[in-house]
């Protein structure tokens, strides 16, 4: 059986590979979320974390997406929303997959998404400019949630037990409307809404393809004005120069450890007999 340390070794490989390409091509990226928190608070990975996250400003993200297919080593693959197929929706994130890995047995759902989600992944979030106006940001977030809900019409399945009594009819209606639109049209609508304030000259930014419940988080662009190198397992990786502001926005008092009951891996079931790392 594989251990969390085995997963973290793969996560380190993914980070090193992305870092290699970015430094070669002059592309900036930023450690993000729990990966950034681990580098700052633990000077490495969070001991119980099994996930890896980075973010890129829009221009650098587009350069990376264009270059990565020709630059990544044979054990890696970049994929995004369009790669699931014209009628399948998972989310709006981009990922780099470690191909010599499998997280579960192939079933109808994993096949529906082309097997792409059935690997250990590095998640890439896009940093876009947003308005300094709270009301503008609220309208933008509402629009993004609308487009995201249309995408649910192209999910393999929806678990209505996860929604409140008020949310269930909304999810049902929007997902059925989404089925009448192509997944490509929904994706185009989503990114158009995400870039609504591009070039506005504001001092604010956000990550539109973040987790749905967190796309309303707003950051100061100054926090991402430059990078600073932080150490993980003896390797220097790029982080936002204003990482204190970023982490405080994400986690509040990020120096405080969570309750012991919450200190566990969240993304992979390591005891699954089909979990495999080559």
């Amino acid at each position: 059986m594989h251990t969390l340390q085995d997963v973290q070794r793969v996560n380190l490989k993914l980070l090193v590979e992305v870092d290699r390409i970015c430094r070669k091509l002059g592309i900036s990226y930023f450690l993000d979320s729990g990966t950034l928190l681990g580098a700052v608070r633990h000077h490495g990975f969070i001991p119980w974390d099994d996930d890896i996250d980075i973010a890129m400003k829009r221009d650098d993200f587009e350069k990376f997406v264009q270059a990565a297919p020709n630059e990544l080593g044979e054990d890696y693959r970049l994929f995004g929303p369009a790669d699931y197929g014209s009628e399948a929706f998972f989310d709006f994130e981009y990922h780099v997959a470690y191909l010599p890995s499998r997280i579960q047995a192939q079933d109808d759902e994993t096949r529906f998404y082309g097997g792409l989600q059935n690997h250990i992944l590095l998640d890439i979030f896009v940093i876009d400019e947003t308005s300094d106006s709270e009301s503008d940001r609220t309208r933008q977030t509402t629009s993004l949630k609308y487009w995201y809900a249309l995408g649910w019409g192209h999910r393999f399945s929806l678990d209505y037990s996860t929604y409140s009594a008020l949310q269930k009819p909304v999810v049902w209606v929007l997902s059925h409307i989404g089925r009448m639109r192509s997944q490509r049209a929904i994706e185009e609508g989503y990114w158009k809404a995400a870039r609504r304030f591009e070039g506005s000259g504001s001092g604010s930014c956000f990550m539109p393809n973040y987790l749905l419940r967190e796309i309303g988080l707003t950051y100061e662009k100054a926090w991402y004005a430059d990078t600073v190198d932080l150490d993980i397992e003896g390797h220097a990786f790029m982080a936002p120069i204003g990482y204190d502001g970023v982490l405080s926005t994400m986690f509040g008092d990020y120096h405080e450890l969570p309750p012991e009951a919450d200190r566990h891996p969240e993304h992979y079931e390591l005891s699954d007999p089909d979990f495999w790392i080559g």
Side-chain angles (χ1 to χ4, degrees):
M1 186 175 74
H2 291 290
T3 66
L4 176 58
Q5 288 68 39
D6 294 325
V7 174
Q8 290 183 341
R9 279 193 288 272
V10 171
N11 286 341
L12 183 62
K13 286 183 177 182
L14 284 160
L15 262 181
V16 167
E17 180 69 359
V18 170
D19 178 78
R20 177 187 68 81
I21 294 170
C22 289
R23 292 187 190 272
K24 174 184 175 181
L25 301 178
I27 294 172
S28 294
Y29 69 89
F30 307 95
L31 300 180
D32 187 61
S33 193
T35 309
L36 177 60
L37 178 59
V40 173
R41 189 175 69 192
H42 300 273
H43 307 291
F45 291 122
I46 296 174
W48 54 88
D49 194 17
D50 60 352
D51 187 34
I52 203 81
D53 301 302
I54 66 170
M56 294 180 181
K57 293 180 183 178
R58 171 68 62 176
D59 287 349
D60 284 317
F61 167 76
E62 291 180 350
K63 291 176 186 175
F64 182 81
V65 168
Q66 183 175 1
N70 295 320
E71 295 287 345
L72 286 167
E74 64 181 5
D75 287 341
Y76 307 90
R77 177 181 174 181
L78 173 75
F79 68 92
D83 294 300
Y84 297 115
S86 60
E87 294 304 323
F89 171 74
F90 191 85
D91 56 28
F92 290 106
E93 293 178 24
Y94 278 71
H95 309 273
V96 176
Y98 183 68
L99 298 178
S101 65
R102 181 182 62 239
I103 66 174
Q104 64 184 52
Q106 287 277 30
D107 57 16
D108 289 344
E109 183 170 2
T110 58
R111 283 188 286 270
F112 180 79
Y113 296 116
L116 294 173
Q117 283 286 328
N118 203 16
H119 300 288
I120 297 175
L121 305 175
L122 175 148
D123 302 335
I124 305 175
F125 302 107
V126 184
I127 301 172
D128 275 325
E129 190 172 11
T130 190
S131 174
D132 291 329
S133 163
E134 184 176 354
S135 60
D136 283 347
R137 294 197 303 269
T138 298
R139 285 192 291 270
Q140 184 180 36
T141 300
T142 300
S143 178
L144 288 168
K145 289 180 177 179
Y146 166 78
W147 285 107
Y148 200 105
L150 294 186
W152 287 334
H154 298 278
R155 277 268 176 90
F156 176 76
S157 63
L158 284 174
D159 182 2
Y160 282 92
S161 68
T162 62
Y163 302 106
S164 69
L166 291 175
Q167 290 173 327
K168 286 177 182 178
V170 176
V171 171
W172 188 91
V173 169
L174 291 178
S175 64
H176 279 69
I177 293 173
R179 290 178 189 174
M180 296 184 286
R181 300 194 181 190
S182 72
Q183 176 54 26
R184 182 57 57 86
I186 293 171
E187 186 178 353
E188 289 175 354
Y190 191 88
W191 289 119
K192 183 178 180 180
R195 303 177 75 167
R196 177 181 175 188
F197 297 104
E198 186 175 56
S200 66
S202 77
S204 304
C205 61
F206 79 132
M207 300 182 199
N209 64 335
Y210 215 68
L211 302 177
L212 186 60
R213 65 180 179 273
E214 296 173 351
I215 59 174
L217 294 178
T218 307
Y219 310 91
E220 294 183 20
K221 285 164 66 175
W223 297 342
Y224 295 98
D226 203 353
T227 64
V228 59
D229 281 349
L230 296 180
D231 182 85
I232 296 179
E233 302 293 333
H235 296 266
F237 298 108
M238 300 182 202
I241 193 167
Y243 60 78
D244 179 71
V246 173
L247 289 173
S248 296
T249 299
M250 289 181 173
F251 301 107
D253 182 5
Y254 63 89
H255 294 288
E256 183 178 349
L257 293 174
E260 286 195 27
D262 294 335
R263 302 178 198 176
H264 54 79
E266 295 183 353
H267 297 85
Y268 306 120
E269 183 53 63
L270 303 183
S271 62
D272 188 324
D274 291 295
F275 185 92
W276 167 80
I277 299 174

